[in-house]
């Protein structure tokens, strides 16, 4: 079976609806036909400052959410990135293959370093996409299920794979991004021109582990527009369009069908119905996460086993990489 691989950062107390719709749902769906590797990107998390205690807790809560969302530890290899040292090792080799200007063109660095200024950003934040390329290439996956914001990183990954293969010998498989158009970018409920994100947070960000009351309130106060018509129009009606996309993604109803169903009805109706549809999916996920966190030893066991399986695959690729680069064999 061909492989799929993806990662998620443990940088908040909960994943958000954008993570769930843009990525996690596809992780679950793809485990049917592919051999899946899914990991918690704690190495990427420390590109910005993290409290060690909080990071450790969030890593475990992340693992619980993955399993609660339907990632099956019996079929999928679930692991923590820092527990597989080959990622960092291959990352260094790929850094030496990446041009400084090429790294500079990564828009996420520009966005993330915009606030404090480039000088305040860590070098790790700068080389972040190259570590991501290593994460991916070590497993030779066919697909990488992600949201739209990761597309540029996937392009860099493909470029680096091809460059390594040409300079040395065919080693890596250039992966394809797996991005579903309808959920590639879920927007903030308060600022519907921006993608929902952990860093914006606030009332516009719906957390998977939100209390139902809090969640419903976030949808009730979602920003719409001064018209009254419920119609999908990303340009002119970003708030309403986002609500329709979320509804459609979770209810399985087509956006056009929803437009007809809501004809003559108000935004209030749409908002409360979307909240209900979201709760239908997230309530069991939240409860299951809480149950799983009652047995932390079991979660840690799943992660250790995952790191063992992932490590075997990653190390075998790394051996080829080191050999082709010209390093003396260590054993
Ligand atoms: P992260 O942790 O920011 O996000 C995890 C996944 O959620 C997707 N996503 C969204 N999708 C739709 N709408 C949104 N508003 C939204 N916000 C986030 C992201 O695209 C992502 O798929 N760099 C990665 C982690 C990573 C990784 C990897 C991913 C490290 N190594 C290797 C794939 C392969 C990141 O920061 O994701």
């Amino acid at each position: 079976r061909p492989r799929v691989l993806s990662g998620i950062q443990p940088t908040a107390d909960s994943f958000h609806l954008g993570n769930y719709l843009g990525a996690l749902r596809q992780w679950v769906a793809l485990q049917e036909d592919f051999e899946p590797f899914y990991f918690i990107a704690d190495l990427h998390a420390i590109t910005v400052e993290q409290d060690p205690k909080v990071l450790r807790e969030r890593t475990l809560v992340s693992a619980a959410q993955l399993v609660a969302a339907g990632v099956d530890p019996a079929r999928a290899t679930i692991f923590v990135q820092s527990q597989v040292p080959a990622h960092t090792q291959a990352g260094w080799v790929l850094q030496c293959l990446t041009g400084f200007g090429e790294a500079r063109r990564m828009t996420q660095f520009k966005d993330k370093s915009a606030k404090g200024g480039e000088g305040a950003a860590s070098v790790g934040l700068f080389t972040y996409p190259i570590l991501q390329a290593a994460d991916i290439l070590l497993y030779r996956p066919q697909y990488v299920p992600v949201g739209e914001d990761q597309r540029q990183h996937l392009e860099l990954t493909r470029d680096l794979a091809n460059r390594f293969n040409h300079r040395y010998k065919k080693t890596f498989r250039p992966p394809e991004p797996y991005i579903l158009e309808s959920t590639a970018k879920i927007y903030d409920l308060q600022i519907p021109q921006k993608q929902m994100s952990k860093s914006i947070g606030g009332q516009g960000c719906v957390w998977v582990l939100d209390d139902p009351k809090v969640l419903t309130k976030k949808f009730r106060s979602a920003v719409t527009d001064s018209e009254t018509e419920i119609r999908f129009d990303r340009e002119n009606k970003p708030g309403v369009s986002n609500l329709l996309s979320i509804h459609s993604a979770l209810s399985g109803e087509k956006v056009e069908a929803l437009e007809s169903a809501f004809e003559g009805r108000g935004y209030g109706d749409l908002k409360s119905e979307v909240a209900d549809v979201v709760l239908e999916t997230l309530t069991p996920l939240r409860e299951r996460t809480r149950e799983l966190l009652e047995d932390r030893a079991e979660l840690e066991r799943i992660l250790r086993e995952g790191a063992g399986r992932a490590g075997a695959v990653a190390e075998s690729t790394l051996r080829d990489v080191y050999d082709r680069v010209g390093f003396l064999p260590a054993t």
Side-chain angles (χ1 to χ4, degrees):
R1 282 191 304 162
R3 291 188 183 135
V4 287
L5 170 136
S6 199
I8 187 161
Q9 293 195 68
T11 42
D13 293 333
S14 166
F15 297 149
H16 59 63
L17 191 59
N19 299 135
Y20 179 75
L21 290 176
L24 298 186
R25 254 181 16 146
Q26 284 67 260
W27 294 19
V28 175
L30 288 167
Q31 66 188 354
E32 302 296 329
D33 299 313
F34 292 85
E35 184 190 358
F37 289 85
Y38 300 135
F39 68 93
I40 300 158
D42 57 348
L43 295 172
H44 279 109
I46 65 160
T47 55
V48 297
E49 194 174 340
Q50 303 292 336
D51 177 314
K53 270 221 300 282
V54 175
L55 178 61
R56 203 170 285 125
E57 175 66 13
R58 286 175 171 175
T59 300
L60 211 60
V61 176
S62 296
Q65 287 176 91
L66 292 183
V67 176
V71 176
D72 175 5
R75 278 186 288 180
T77 298
I78 309 173
F79 66 101
V80 175
Q81 187 186 26
S82 65
Q83 294 183 350
V84 181
H87 290 232
T88 327
Q89 294 168 300
W92 175 256
V93 175
L94 294 179
Q95 281 189 53
C96 297
L97 244 72
T98 310
F100 196 85
E102 188 176 29
R104 218 179 225 305
R105 281 194 292 278
M106 295 292 119
T107 53
Q108 204 167 70
F109 176 74
K110 292 184 200 164
D111 296 345
K112 286 193 177 174
S113 62
K115 220 170 47 190
E118 196 183 280
S122 72
V123 176
L125 190 65
F126 185 65
T127 59
Y128 177 122
I130 310 169
L131 176 61
Q132 180 164 350
D135 296 336
I136 298 168
L137 296 176
L138 282 171
Y139 299 85
R140 301 184 171 109
Q142 177 173 3
Y143 290 123
V144 181
V146 286
E148 181 61 37
D149 63 340
Q150 300 299 313
R151 191 183 289 279
Q152 197 188 32
H153 293 165
L154 265 293
E155 276 160 23
L156 176 72
T157 304
R158 292 176 58 84
D159 287 347
L160 291 175
N162 288 320
R163 193 170 305 157
F164 188 97
N165 290 347
H166 279 114
R167 189 169 301 180
Y168 301 103
K169 182 179 168 199
K170 189 159 181 357
T171 306
F172 294 131
R173 171 182 190 154
E176 294 164 47
Y178 185 89
I179 302 174
L180 293 191
E181 204 190 305
S182 54
T183 51
K185 195 166 179 181
I186 300 298
Y187 295 83
D188 187 277
L189 299 186
Q190 289 296 319
I191 321 165
Q193 299 77 8
K194 288 204 169 164
Q195 84 159 3
M196 187 178 285
S197 75
K198 294 169 189 165
S199 51
I200 300 179
Q203 283 295 104
C205 182
V206 176
W207 302 106
V208 163
L209 302 179
D210 263 345
D211 177 87
K213 281 208 195 85
V214 172
L215 184 146
T216 303
K217 185 148 174 263
K218 284 179 180 172
F219 278 102
R220 288 241 174 85
S221 52
V223 165
T224 46
D225 52 60
S226 56
E227 300 180 1
T228 53
E229 200 192 349
I230 296 177
R231 166 169 62 85
F232 189 94
D233 178 345
R234 180 72 75 207
E235 278 287 291
N236 302 304
K237 300 170 78 68
V240 169
S241 303
N242 190 36
L243 292 172
L244 286 169
S245 307
I246 294 171
H247 190 314
S248 168
L250 289 168
S251 64
E253 290 175 52
K254 292 223 166 60
V255 168
E256 303 82 74
L258 292 172
E259 286 173 335
S260 338
F262 279 103
E263 216 178 298
R265 293 163 67 194
Y267 288 167
D269 275 8
L270 173 66
K271 291 177 187 180
S272 46
E273 199 173 305
V274 176
D276 289 346
V277 167
V278 171
L279 277 177
E280 242 170 80
T281 300
L282 294 192
T283 300
L285 208 164
R286 184 172 46 90
E287 286 168 358
R288 185 91 184 98
T289 302
R290 201 184 299 136
E291 281 165 26
L292 286 160
L293 283 166
E294 278 165 23
D295 190 353
R296 285 161 181 254
E298 170 61 10
L299 285 171
E300 283 168 11
R301 192 197 58 75
I302 290 171
L303 294 174
R304 258 198 312 277
E305 196 182 295
R309 286 210 295 262
V313 174
E315 268 160 42
S316 137
T317 310
L318 183 71
R319 259 197 303 280
D320 290 347
V321 169
Y322 271 18
D323 177 59
R324 281 151 201 190
V325 166
F327 293 163
L328 270 182
T331 48

